[in-house]
PDB file of all heavy atoms in Angstrom:
ATOM      1  N   LEU A   1       0.843  -1.195  -0.009  1.00  0.00           N
ATOM      2  CA  LEU A   1       0.006   0.000   0.001  1.00  0.00           C
ATOM      3  C   LEU A   1       0.863   1.263   0.004  1.00  0.00           C
ATOM      4  O   LEU A   1       1.993   1.246   0.541  1.00  0.00           O
ATOM      5  CB  LEU A   1      -0.897   0.059   1.242  1.00  0.00           C
ATOM      6  CG  LEU A   1      -2.001  -1.006   1.395  1.00  0.00           C
ATOM      7  CD1 LEU A   1      -2.634  -0.895   2.779  1.00  0.00           C
ATOM      8  CD2 LEU A   1      -3.045  -0.830   0.304  1.00  0.00           C
ATOM      9  N   LEU A   2       0.336   2.315  -0.585  1.00  0.00           N
ATOM     10  CA  LEU A   2       0.972   3.627  -0.455  1.00  0.00           C
ATOM     11  C   LEU A   2       0.535   4.206   0.868  1.00  0.00           C
ATOM     12  O   LEU A   2      -0.641   4.487   1.099  1.00  0.00           O
ATOM     13  CB  LEU A   2       0.540   4.548  -1.597  1.00  0.00           C
ATOM     14  CG  LEU A   2       0.993   6.005  -1.541  1.00  0.00           C
ATOM     15  CD1 LEU A   2       2.506   6.116  -1.512  1.00  0.00           C
ATOM     16  CD2 LEU A   2       0.428   6.789  -2.703  1.00  0.00           C
ATOM     17  N   ARG A   3       1.486   4.388   1.785  1.00  0.00           N
ATOM     18  CA  ARG A   3       1.187   4.835   3.134  1.00  0.00           C
ATOM     19  C   ARG A   3       1.336   6.360   3.318  1.00  0.00           C
ATOM     20  O   ARG A   3       0.632   6.986   4.106  1.00  0.00           O
ATOM     21  CB  ARG A   3       2.103   4.119   4.152  1.00  0.00           C
ATOM     22  CG  ARG A   3       1.903   2.619   4.218  1.00  0.00           C
ATOM     23  CD  ARG A   3       0.563   2.305   4.855  1.00  0.00           C
ATOM     24  NE  ARG A   3       0.429   0.864   5.108  1.00  0.00           N
ATOM     25  CZ  ARG A   3      -0.642   0.295   5.659  1.00  0.00           C
ATOM     26  NH1 ARG A   3      -1.665   1.058   6.002  1.00  0.00           N
ATOM     27  NH2 ARG A   3      -0.710  -1.003   5.847  1.00  0.00           N
ATOM     28  N   GLN A   4       2.329   6.926   2.641  1.00  0.00           N
ATOM     29  CA  GLN A   4       2.614   8.351   2.834  1.00  0.00           C
ATOM     30  C   GLN A   4       2.954   9.008   1.499  1.00  0.00           C
ATOM     31  O   GLN A   4       3.555   8.362   0.622  1.00  0.00           O
ATOM     32  CB  GLN A   4       3.796   8.564   3.781  1.00  0.00           C
ATOM     33  CG  GLN A   4       3.575   8.050   5.193  1.00  0.00           C
ATOM     34  CD  GLN A   4       4.823   8.184   6.046  1.00  0.00           C
ATOM     35  OE1 GLN A   4       5.829   8.771   5.624  1.00  0.00           O
ATOM     36  NE2 GLN A   4       4.771   7.629   7.255  1.00  0.00           N
ATOM     37  N   MET A   5       2.547  10.268   1.360  1.00  0.00           N
ATOM     38  CA  MET A   5       2.900  11.084   0.201  1.00  0.00           C
ATOM     39  C   MET A   5       3.204  12.474   0.735  1.00  0.00           C
ATOM     40  O   MET A   5       2.293  13.276   0.955  1.00  0.00           O
ATOM     41  CB  MET A   5       1.757  11.092  -0.833  1.00  0.00           C
ATOM     42  CG  MET A   5       2.112  11.832  -2.104  1.00  0.00           C
ATOM     43  SD  MET A   5       0.899  11.528  -3.431  1.00  0.00           S
ATOM     44  CE  MET A   5      -0.631  12.036  -2.640  1.00  0.00           C
ATOM     45  N   TYR A   6       4.503  12.727   0.997  1.00  0.00           N
ATOM     46  CA  TYR A   6       4.915  13.958   1.667  1.00  0.00           C
ATOM     47  C   TYR A   6       5.491  14.957   0.693  1.00  0.00           C
ATOM     48  O   TYR A   6       6.430  14.648  -0.040  1.00  0.00           O
ATOM     49  CB  TYR A   6       5.930  13.600   2.752  1.00  0.00           C
ATOM     50  CG  TYR A   6       6.304  14.762   3.630  1.00  0.00           C
ATOM     51  CD1 TYR A   6       5.464  15.145   4.672  1.00  0.00           C
ATOM     52  CD2 TYR A   6       7.496  15.470   3.436  1.00  0.00           C
ATOM     53  CE1 TYR A   6       5.809  16.213   5.492  1.00  0.00           C
ATOM     54  CE2 TYR A   6       7.820  16.532   4.273  1.00  0.00           C
ATOM     55  CZ  TYR A   6       6.980  16.905   5.269  1.00  0.00           C
ATOM     56  OH  TYR A   6       7.322  17.956   6.096  1.00  0.00           O
ATOM     57  N   PRO A   7       4.982  16.180   0.647  1.00  0.00           N
ATOM     58  CA  PRO A   7       5.491  17.188  -0.308  1.00  0.00           C
ATOM     59  C   PRO A   7       6.931  17.536  -0.031  1.00  0.00           C
ATOM     60  O   PRO A   7       7.304  17.868   1.117  1.00  0.00           O
ATOM     61  CB  PRO A   7       4.572  18.387  -0.089  1.00  0.00           C
ATOM     62  CG  PRO A   7       3.360  17.855   0.620  1.00  0.00           C
ATOM     63  CD  PRO A   7       3.843  16.683   1.434  1.00  0.00           C
ATOM     64  N   VAL A   8       7.755  17.475  -1.050  1.00  0.00           N
ATOM     65  CA  VAL A   8       9.160  17.908  -0.954  1.00  0.00           C
ATOM     66  C   VAL A   8       9.494  18.714  -2.223  1.00  0.00           C
ATOM     67  O   VAL A   8       9.971  18.158  -3.211  1.00  0.00           O
ATOM     68  CB  VAL A   8      10.121  16.697  -0.824  1.00  0.00           C
ATOM     69  CG1 VAL A   8      11.569  17.194  -0.609  1.00  0.00           C
ATOM     70  CG2 VAL A   8       9.719  15.790   0.333  1.00  0.00           C
ATOM     71  N   PRO A   9       9.200  19.979  -2.204  1.00  0.00           N
ATOM     72  CA  PRO A   9       9.457  20.813  -3.400  1.00  0.00           C
ATOM     73  C   PRO A   9      10.959  21.005  -3.599  1.00  0.00           C
ATOM     74  O   PRO A   9      11.765  20.876  -2.671  1.00  0.00           O
ATOM     75  CB  PRO A   9       8.779  22.139  -3.044  1.00  0.00           C
ATOM     76  CG  PRO A   9       8.726  22.173  -1.569  1.00  0.00           C
ATOM     77  CD  PRO A   9       8.588  20.775  -1.104  1.00  0.00           C
ATOM     78  N   GLY A  10      11.332  21.324  -4.852  1.00  0.00           N
ATOM     79  CA  GLY A  10      12.725  21.658  -5.110  1.00  0.00           C
ATOM     80  C   GLY A  10      13.443  20.657  -5.984  1.00  0.00           C
ATOM     81  O   GLY A  10      14.658  20.640  -6.046  1.00  0.00           O
ATOM     82  N   GLY A  11      12.689  19.797  -6.693  1.00  0.00           N
ATOM     83  CA  GLY A  11      13.320  18.823  -7.616  1.00  0.00           C
ATOM     84  C   GLY A  11      13.903  17.634  -6.888  1.00  0.00           C
ATOM     85  O   GLY A  11      15.048  17.241  -7.139  1.00  0.00           O
ATOM     86  N   VAL A  12      13.124  17.033  -6.004  1.00  0.00           N
ATOM     87  CA  VAL A  12      13.607  15.866  -5.257  1.00  0.00           C
ATOM     88  C   VAL A  12      14.025  14.759  -6.225  1.00  0.00           C
ATOM     89  O   VAL A  12      13.302  14.470  -7.188  1.00  0.00           O
ATOM     90  CB  VAL A  12      12.521  15.379  -4.253  1.00  0.00           C
ATOM     91  CG1 VAL A  12      11.248  14.920  -4.959  1.00  0.00           C
ATOM     92  CG2 VAL A  12      13.073  14.281  -3.342  1.00  0.00           C
ATOM     93  N   TYR A  13      15.182  14.125  -5.976  1.00  0.00           N
ATOM     94  CA  TYR A  13      15.679  13.141  -6.931  1.00  0.00           C
ATOM     95  C   TYR A  13      16.418  11.995  -6.246  1.00  0.00           C
ATOM     96  O   TYR A  13      15.900  10.916  -6.086  1.00  0.00           O
ATOM     97  CB  TYR A  13      16.590  13.835  -7.983  1.00  0.00           C
ATOM     98  CG  TYR A  13      17.012  12.893  -9.063  1.00  0.00           C
ATOM     99  CD1 TYR A  13      16.107  12.456 -10.040  1.00  0.00           C
ATOM    100  CD2 TYR A  13      18.321  12.445  -9.158  1.00  0.00           C
ATOM    101  CE1 TYR A  13      16.491  11.594 -11.052  1.00  0.00           C
ATOM    102  CE2 TYR A  13      18.722  11.567 -10.152  1.00  0.00           C
ATOM    103  CZ  TYR A  13      17.810  11.141 -11.108  1.00  0.00           C
ATOM    104  OH  TYR A  13      18.182  10.275 -12.090  1.00  0.00           O
ATOM    105  N   GLY A  14      17.649  12.193  -5.832  1.00  0.00           N
ATOM    106  CA  GLY A  14      18.458  11.131  -5.211  1.00  0.00           C
ATOM    107  C   GLY A  14      17.951  10.804  -3.832  1.00  0.00           C
ATOM    108  O   GLY A  14      17.359  11.657  -3.130  1.00  0.00           O
ATOM    109  N   ILE A  15      18.172   9.549  -3.385  1.00  0.00           N
ATOM    110  CA  ILE A  15      17.715   9.130  -2.085  1.00  0.00           C
ATOM    111  C   ILE A  15      18.638   8.078  -1.489  1.00  0.00           C
ATOM    112  O   ILE A  15      19.187   7.228  -2.219  1.00  0.00           O
ATOM    113  CB  ILE A  15      16.256   8.627  -2.116  1.00  0.00           C
ATOM    114  CG1 ILE A  15      15.734   8.324  -0.705  1.00  0.00           C
ATOM    115  CG2 ILE A  15      16.127   7.408  -3.037  1.00  0.00           C
ATOM    116  CD1 ILE A  15      14.217   8.103  -0.650  1.00  0.00           C
ATOM    117  N   ALA A  16      18.856   8.167  -0.189  1.00  0.00           N
ATOM    118  CA  ALA A  16      19.634   7.178   0.561  1.00  0.00           C
ATOM    119  C   ALA A  16      19.011   7.041   1.929  1.00  0.00           C
ATOM    120  O   ALA A  16      18.328   7.938   2.407  1.00  0.00           O
ATOM    121  CB  ALA A  16      21.095   7.601   0.661  1.00  0.00           C
ATOM    122  N   TYR A  17      19.298   5.917   2.595  1.00  0.00           N
ATOM    123  CA  TYR A  17      18.683   5.652   3.904  1.00  0.00           C
ATOM    124  C   TYR A  17      19.740   5.298   4.934  1.00  0.00           C
ATOM    125  O   TYR A  17      20.593   4.432   4.712  1.00  0.00           O
ATOM    126  CB  TYR A  17      17.648   4.536   3.808  1.00  0.00           C
ATOM    127  CG  TYR A  17      16.945   4.255   5.095  1.00  0.00           C
ATOM    128  CD1 TYR A  17      16.078   5.208   5.659  1.00  0.00           C
ATOM    129  CD2 TYR A  17      17.133   3.049   5.786  1.00  0.00           C
ATOM    130  CE1 TYR A  17      15.442   4.954   6.865  1.00  0.00           C
ATOM    131  CE2 TYR A  17      16.463   2.794   6.986  1.00  0.00           C
ATOM    132  CZ  TYR A  17      15.631   3.751   7.520  1.00  0.00           C
ATOM    133  OH  TYR A  17      14.999   3.508   8.714  1.00  0.00           O
ATOM    134  N   ASP A  18      19.668   6.007   6.065  1.00  0.00           N
ATOM    135  CA  ASP A  18      20.549   5.741   7.204  1.00  0.00           C
ATOM    136  C   ASP A  18      19.740   4.990   8.260  1.00  0.00           C
ATOM    137  O   ASP A  18      18.966   5.561   9.024  1.00  0.00           O
ATOM    138  CB  ASP A  18      21.027   7.086   7.792  1.00  0.00           C
ATOM    139  CG  ASP A  18      21.970   6.935   8.960  1.00  0.00           C
ATOM    140  OD1 ASP A  18      22.109   5.814   9.486  1.00  0.00           O
ATOM    141  OD2 ASP A  18      22.571   7.953   9.389  1.00  0.00           O
ATOM    142  N   ALA A  19      19.897   3.668   8.276  1.00  0.00           N
ATOM    143  CA  ALA A  19      19.068   2.816   9.149  1.00  0.00           C
ATOM    144  C   ALA A  19      19.258   3.082  10.635  1.00  0.00           C
ATOM    145  O   ALA A  19      18.270   3.189  11.366  1.00  0.00           O
ATOM    146  CB  ALA A  19      19.319   1.339   8.826  1.00  0.00           C
ATOM    147  N   PRO A  20      20.493   3.201  11.149  1.00  0.00           N
ATOM    148  CA  PRO A  20      20.626   3.424  12.595  1.00  0.00           C
ATOM    149  C   PRO A  20      19.954   4.698  13.099  1.00  0.00           C
ATOM    150  O   PRO A  20      19.485   4.773  14.232  1.00  0.00           O
ATOM    151  CB  PRO A  20      22.138   3.498  12.789  1.00  0.00           C
ATOM    152  CG  PRO A  20      22.703   2.692  11.665  1.00  0.00           C
ATOM    153  CD  PRO A  20      21.795   3.010  10.532  1.00  0.00           C
ATOM    154  N   ARG A  21      19.880   5.729  12.234  1.00  0.00           N
ATOM    155  CA  ARG A  21      19.305   7.004  12.637  1.00  0.00           C
ATOM    156  C   ARG A  21      17.917   7.235  12.049  1.00  0.00           C
ATOM    157  O   ARG A  21      17.322   8.296  12.252  1.00  0.00           O
ATOM    158  CB  ARG A  21      20.269   8.138  12.202  1.00  0.00           C
ATOM    159  CG  ARG A  21      21.595   8.061  12.936  1.00  0.00           C
ATOM    160  CD  ARG A  21      22.699   8.844  12.230  1.00  0.00           C
ATOM    161  NE  ARG A  21      23.972   8.542  12.859  1.00  0.00           N
ATOM    162  CZ  ARG A  21      24.703   7.458  12.581  1.00  0.00           C
ATOM    163  NH1 ARG A  21      24.281   6.583  11.682  1.00  0.00           N
ATOM    164  NH2 ARG A  21      25.844   7.234  13.226  1.00  0.00           N
ATOM    165  N   HIS A  22      17.414   6.299  11.271  1.00  0.00           N
ATOM    166  CA  HIS A  22      16.062   6.344  10.687  1.00  0.00           C
ATOM    167  C   HIS A  22      15.881   7.596   9.815  1.00  0.00           C
ATOM    168  O   HIS A  22      14.839   8.198   9.770  1.00  0.00           O
ATOM    169  CB  HIS A  22      14.996   6.333  11.797  1.00  0.00           C
ATOM    170  CG  HIS A  22      15.244   5.326  12.849  1.00  0.00           C
ATOM    171  ND1 HIS A  22      15.021   3.978  12.675  1.00  0.00           N
ATOM    172  CD2 HIS A  22      15.720   5.451  14.143  1.00  0.00           C
ATOM    173  CE1 HIS A  22      15.336   3.334  13.767  1.00  0.00           C
ATOM    174  NE2 HIS A  22      15.768   4.183  14.665  1.00  0.00           N
ATOM    175  N   LEU A  23      16.945   7.954   9.094  1.00  0.00           N
ATOM    176  CA  LEU A  23      16.938   9.143   8.292  1.00  0.00           C
ATOM    177  C   LEU A  23      16.913   8.809   6.778  1.00  0.00           C
ATOM    178  O   LEU A  23      17.734   7.987   6.336  1.00  0.00           O
ATOM    179  CB  LEU A  23      18.132  10.023   8.558  1.00  0.00           C
ATOM    180  CG  LEU A  23      18.223  10.688   9.937  1.00  0.00           C
ATOM    181  CD1 LEU A  23      19.581  11.384  10.080  1.00  0.00           C
ATOM    182  CD2 LEU A  23      17.111  11.680  10.105  1.00  0.00           C
ATOM    183  N   ALA A  24      16.016   9.389   6.048  1.00  0.00           N
ATOM    184  CA  ALA A  24      16.050   9.350   4.599  1.00  0.00           C
ATOM    185  C   ALA A  24      16.662  10.655   4.107  1.00  0.00           C
ATOM    186  O   ALA A  24      16.144  11.746   4.396  1.00  0.00           O
ATOM    187  CB  ALA A  24      14.643   9.179   4.048  1.00  0.00           C
ATOM    188  N   TRP A  25      17.723  10.519   3.347  1.00  0.00           N
ATOM    189  CA  TRP A  25      18.392  11.681   2.771  1.00  0.00           C
ATOM    190  C   TRP A  25      17.994  11.807   1.303  1.00  0.00           C
ATOM    191  O   TRP A  25      18.113  10.852   0.550  1.00  0.00           O
ATOM    192  CB  TRP A  25      19.897  11.553   2.894  1.00  0.00           C
ATOM    193  CG  TRP A  25      20.409  11.720   4.282  1.00  0.00           C
ATOM    194  CD1 TRP A  25      20.648  10.737   5.203  1.00  0.00           C
ATOM    195  CD2 TRP A  25      20.728  12.961   4.919  1.00  0.00           C
ATOM    196  NE1 TRP A  25      21.096  11.289   6.369  1.00  0.00           N
ATOM    197  CE2 TRP A  25      21.157  12.652   6.242  1.00  0.00           C
ATOM    198  CE3 TRP A  25      20.701  14.300   4.512  1.00  0.00           C
ATOM    199  CZ2 TRP A  25      21.544  13.638   7.136  1.00  0.00           C
ATOM    200  CZ3 TRP A  25      21.073  15.270   5.408  1.00  0.00           C
ATOM    201  CH2 TRP A  25      21.515  14.954   6.706  1.00  0.00           C
ATOM    202  N   VAL A  26      17.502  12.991   0.925  1.00  0.00           N
ATOM    203  CA  VAL A  26      17.115  13.234  -0.448  1.00  0.00           C
ATOM    204  C   VAL A  26      17.833  14.471  -0.975  1.00  0.00           C
ATOM    205  O   VAL A  26      18.169  15.386  -0.233  1.00  0.00           O
ATOM    206  CB  VAL A  26      15.578  13.394  -0.616  1.00  0.00           C
ATOM    207  CG1 VAL A  26      14.853  12.152  -0.126  1.00  0.00           C
ATOM    208  CG2 VAL A  26      15.081  14.632   0.143  1.00  0.00           C
ATOM    209  N   THR A  27      18.083  14.449  -2.296  1.00  0.00           N
ATOM    210  CA  THR A  27      18.665  15.637  -2.917  1.00  0.00           C
ATOM    211  C   THR A  27      17.608  16.435  -3.647  1.00  0.00           C
ATOM    212  O   THR A  27      16.651  15.871  -4.191  1.00  0.00           O
ATOM    213  CB  THR A  27      19.789  15.249  -3.888  1.00  0.00           C
ATOM    214  OG1 THR A  27      19.254  14.498  -4.992  1.00  0.00           O
ATOM    215  CG2 THR A  27      20.848  14.402  -3.196  1.00  0.00           C
ATOM    216  N   LEU A  28      17.779  17.750  -3.642  1.00  0.00           N
ATOM    217  CA  LEU A  28      16.858  18.688  -4.344  1.00  0.00           C
ATOM    218  C   LEU A  28      17.704  19.368  -5.435  1.00  0.00           C
ATOM    219  O   LEU A  28      18.434  20.337  -5.135  1.00  0.00           O
ATOM    220  CB  LEU A  28      16.255  19.691  -3.391  1.00  0.00           C
ATOM    221  CG  LEU A  28      15.587  19.129  -2.106  1.00  0.00           C
ATOM    222  CD1 LEU A  28      15.013  20.252  -1.280  1.00  0.00           C
ATOM    223  CD2 LEU A  28      14.515  18.119  -2.486  1.00  0.00           C
ATOM    224  N   THR A  29      17.607  18.907  -6.665  1.00  0.00           N
ATOM    225  CA  THR A  29      18.474  19.430  -7.689  1.00  0.00           C
ATOM    226  C   THR A  29      18.094  20.815  -8.138  1.00  0.00           C
ATOM    227  O   THR A  29      18.954  21.587  -8.625  1.00  0.00           O
ATOM    228  CB  THR A  29      18.521  18.468  -8.905  1.00  0.00           C
ATOM    229  OG1 THR A  29      17.227  18.376  -9.490  1.00  0.00           O
ATOM    230  CG2 THR A  29      18.983  17.068  -8.483  1.00  0.00           C
ATOM    231  N   ALA A  30      16.830  21.208  -8.022  1.00  0.00           N
ATOM    232  CA  ALA A  30      16.426  22.551  -8.401  1.00  0.00           C
ATOM    233  C   ALA A  30      16.894  23.600  -7.417  1.00  0.00           C
ATOM    234  O   ALA A  30      16.902  24.806  -7.707  1.00  0.00           O
ATOM    235  CB  ALA A  30      14.898  22.637  -8.566  1.00  0.00           C
ATOM    236  N   ARG A  31      17.322  23.142  -6.226  1.00  0.00           N
ATOM    237  CA  ARG A  31      17.762  24.074  -5.188  1.00  0.00           C
ATOM    238  C   ARG A  31      19.232  23.814  -4.764  1.00  0.00           C
ATOM    239  O   ARG A  31      19.734  24.561  -3.911  1.00  0.00           O
ATOM    240  CB  ARG A  31      16.871  23.956  -3.963  1.00  0.00           C
ATOM    241  CG  ARG A  31      15.422  24.363  -4.178  1.00  0.00           C
ATOM    242  CD  ARG A  31      14.586  24.262  -2.922  1.00  0.00           C
ATOM    243  NE  ARG A  31      13.223  24.678  -3.125  1.00  0.00           N
ATOM    244  CZ  ARG A  31      12.304  24.732  -2.203  1.00  0.00           C
ATOM    245  NH1 ARG A  31      12.613  24.373  -0.936  1.00  0.00           N
ATOM    246  NH2 ARG A  31      11.071  25.151  -2.450  1.00  0.00           N
ATOM    247  N   ASN A  32      19.863  22.791  -5.299  1.00  0.00           N
ATOM    248  CA  ASN A  32      21.210  22.410  -4.886  1.00  0.00           C
ATOM    249  C   ASN A  32      21.247  22.234  -3.361  1.00  0.00           C
ATOM    250  O   ASN A  32      22.038  22.843  -2.646  1.00  0.00           O
ATOM    251  CB  ASN A  32      22.230  23.467  -5.319  1.00  0.00           C
ATOM    252  CG  ASN A  32      22.413  23.488  -6.824  1.00  0.00           C
ATOM    253  OD1 ASN A  32      22.498  22.476  -7.484  1.00  0.00           O
ATOM    254  ND2 ASN A  32      22.445  24.707  -7.365  1.00  0.00           N
ATOM    255  N   GLU A  33      20.367  21.341  -2.869  1.00  0.00           N
ATOM    256  CA  GLU A  33      20.293  21.068  -1.436  1.00  0.00           C
ATOM    257  C   GLU A  33      20.210  19.567  -1.205  1.00  0.00           C
ATOM    258  O   GLU A  33      19.820  18.792  -2.081  1.00  0.00           O
ATOM    259  CB  GLU A  33      19.080  21.736  -0.810  1.00  0.00           C
ATOM    260  CG  GLU A  33      19.159  23.251  -0.773  1.00  0.00           C
ATOM    261  CD  GLU A  33      17.910  23.876  -0.152  1.00  0.00           C
ATOM    262  OE1 GLU A  33      16.853  23.219  -0.121  1.00  0.00           O
ATOM    263  OE2 GLU A  33      17.982  25.021   0.298  1.00  0.00           O
ATOM    264  N   VAL A  34      20.563  19.185   0.022  1.00  0.00           N
ATOM    265  CA  VAL A  34      20.342  17.809   0.504  1.00  0.00           C
ATOM    266  C   VAL A  34      19.645  17.910   1.835  1.00  0.00           C
ATOM    267  O   VAL A  34      19.984  18.725   2.681  1.00  0.00           O
ATOM    268  CB  VAL A  34      21.670  17.012   0.596  1.00  0.00           C
ATOM    269  CG1 VAL A  34      22.647  17.707   1.540  1.00  0.00           C
ATOM    270  CG2 VAL A  34      21.420  15.571   0.994  1.00  0.00           C
ATOM    271  N   VAL A  35      18.603  17.076   2.014  1.00  0.00           N
ATOM    272  CA  VAL A  35      17.711  17.199   3.185  1.00  0.00           C
ATOM    273  C   VAL A  35      17.595  15.829   3.839  1.00  0.00           C
ATOM    274  O   VAL A  35      17.460  14.801   3.162  1.00  0.00           O
ATOM    275  CB  VAL A  35      16.318  17.694   2.759  1.00  0.00           C
ATOM    276  CG1 VAL A  35      15.445  17.941   4.022  1.00  0.00           C
ATOM    277  CG2 VAL A  35      16.416  18.980   1.959  1.00  0.00           C
ATOM    278  N   GLY A  36      17.655  15.828   5.187  1.00  0.00           N
ATOM    279  CA  GLY A  36      17.481  14.602   5.946  1.00  0.00           C
ATOM    280  C   GLY A  36      16.160  14.574   6.679  1.00  0.00           C
ATOM    281  O   GLY A  36      15.864  15.515   7.436  1.00  0.00           O
ATOM    282  N   PHE A  37      15.360  13.536   6.431  1.00  0.00           N
ATOM    283  CA  PHE A  37      14.050  13.386   7.081  1.00  0.00           C
ATOM    284  C   PHE A  37      14.055  12.176   8.023  1.00  0.00           C
ATOM    285  O   PHE A  37      14.479  11.103   7.631  1.00  0.00           O
ATOM    286  CB  PHE A  37      12.928  13.154   6.042  1.00  0.00           C
ATOM    287  CG  PHE A  37      12.632  14.355   5.168  1.00  0.00           C
ATOM    288  CD1 PHE A  37      13.165  14.435   3.890  1.00  0.00           C
ATOM    289  CD2 PHE A  37      11.849  15.386   5.651  1.00  0.00           C
ATOM    290  CE1 PHE A  37      12.871  15.526   3.088  1.00  0.00           C
ATOM    291  CE2 PHE A  37      11.540  16.487   4.844  1.00  0.00           C
ATOM    292  CZ  PHE A  37      12.059  16.565   3.575  1.00  0.00           C
ATOM    293  N   ASP A  38      13.556  12.394   9.227  1.00  0.00           N
ATOM    294  CA  ASP A  38      13.297  11.290  10.133  1.00  0.00           C
ATOM    295  C   ASP A  38      11.973  10.621   9.693  1.00  0.00           C
ATOM    296  O   ASP A  38      10.955  11.288   9.607  1.00  0.00           O
ATOM    297  CB  ASP A  38      13.147  11.812  11.567  1.00  0.00           C
ATOM    298  CG  ASP A  38      13.066  10.681  12.617  1.00  0.00           C
ATOM    299  OD1 ASP A  38      12.415   9.663  12.313  1.00  0.00           O
ATOM    300  OD2 ASP A  38      13.604  10.836  13.702  1.00  0.00           O
ATOM    301  N   VAL A  39      12.032   9.336   9.352  1.00  0.00           N
ATOM    302  CA  VAL A  39      10.877   8.679   8.774  1.00  0.00           C
ATOM    303  C   VAL A  39      10.238   7.652   9.722  1.00  0.00           C
ATOM    304  O   VAL A  39       9.505   6.757   9.293  1.00  0.00           O
ATOM    305  CB  VAL A  39      11.230   8.010   7.430  1.00  0.00           C
ATOM    306  CG1 VAL A  39      11.600   9.058   6.386  1.00  0.00           C
ATOM    307  CG2 VAL A  39      12.344   6.980   7.596  1.00  0.00           C
ATOM    308  N   ARG A  40      10.465   7.817  11.029  1.00  0.00           N
ATOM    309  CA  ARG A  40       9.917   6.843  11.973  1.00  0.00           C
ATOM    310  C   ARG A  40       8.429   7.007  12.218  1.00  0.00           C
ATOM    311  O   ARG A  40       7.741   6.026  12.524  1.00  0.00           O
ATOM    312  CB  ARG A  40      10.651   6.947  13.339  1.00  0.00           C
ATOM    313  CG  ARG A  40      12.047   6.356  13.327  1.00  0.00           C
ATOM    314  CD  ARG A  40      12.733   6.573  14.634  1.00  0.00           C
ATOM    315  NE  ARG A  40      13.105   7.977  14.828  1.00  0.00           N
ATOM    316  CZ  ARG A  40      13.840   8.400  15.889  1.00  0.00           C
ATOM    317  NH1 ARG A  40      14.214   7.569  16.818  1.00  0.00           N
ATOM    318  NH2 ARG A  40      14.159   9.698  15.974  1.00  0.00           N
TER     319      ARG A  40
END
């Protein structure tokens, strides 16, 4: 099932996951940024 659909403006593209810290890291290419989200 699709459980979540969270808005992330700015050209979200790359993604990686840090399991010990429960963080999803995504890149925003339209803003030249990288953002870490707690996904617990």
Side-chain angles (χ1 to χ4, degrees):
L1 293 172
L2 175 60
R3 295 291 187 179
Q4 297 175 7
M5 185 167 57
Y6 187 79
V8 184
V12 62
Y13 186 72
I15 186 168
Y17 182 66
D18 182 349
R21 295 161 189 82
H22 315 285
L23 292 173
W25 288 94
V26 300
T27 65
L28 308 181
T29 63
R31 297 182 178 181
N32 292 316
E33 291 180 338
V34 59
V35 185
F37 291 100
D38 188 322
V39 294
R40 284 176 290 185

